[in-house]
Amino acid sequence: MIAPNRDSDEITVTWQKGTSEWQRVEQELTRSLEEHVKIHLTVDTPHGTSHLRGFVTVINTYLKEIKLREEDDWQWIRFEDIRSVQI
């Protein structure tokens, strides 16, 4: 389920595959990819929660992950690790 943050454009995600709420997150990720819009992600990591900012450069629906390009680095992020998206 996704709950919009009333104070911003942030979308908070509780991972549920195939939900219409997740489709909205996919739309924001696609927007970053297609329009080169910088996004803010909150993701779960083995060491806790991380806050990342960058551009989506690849969306791999088969492996269910995105490639996020940050300042001088990039990383693959699994869909299930994404907790919030903000444009």
Side-chain angles (χ1 to χ4, degrees):
M1 177 183 294
I2 298 173
N5 182 331
R6 301 288 181 227
D7 298 326
S8 70
D9 292 331
E10 181 177 22
I11 302 167
T12 304
V13 179
T14 302
W15 176 253
Q16 290 183 2
K17 180 180 175 183
T19 62
S20 62
E21 293 87 6
W22 180 254
Q23 290 174 351
R24 183 161 177 226
V25 171
E26 288 176 330
Q27 289 173 351
E28 297 297 341
L29 297 174
T30 301
R31 180 176 172 208
S32 177
L33 174 68
E34 293 176 351
E35 299 176 18
H36 202 64
V37 175
K38 192 172 278 193
I39 61 172
H40 299 266
L41 292 176
T42 302
V43 297
D44 289 336
T45 68
H47 307 292
T49 301
S50 283
H51 301 278
L52 308 171
R53 184 175 177 182
F55 302 97
V56 175
T57 59
V58 176
I59 299 175
N60 186 328
T61 56
Y62 180 74
L63 295 176
K64 299 177 184 161
E65 61 188 6
I66 64 167
K67 185 177 183 181
L68 186 71
R69 171 84 173 141
E70 297 174 279
E71 292 296 320
D72 296 325
D73 199 11
W74 58 267
Q75 61 181 301
W76 288 99
I77 301 167
R78 297 180 306 178
F79 291 171
E80 65 191 44
D81 292 337
I82 298 172
R83 291 295 156 235
S84 70
V85 178
Q86 183 178 2
I87 297 286

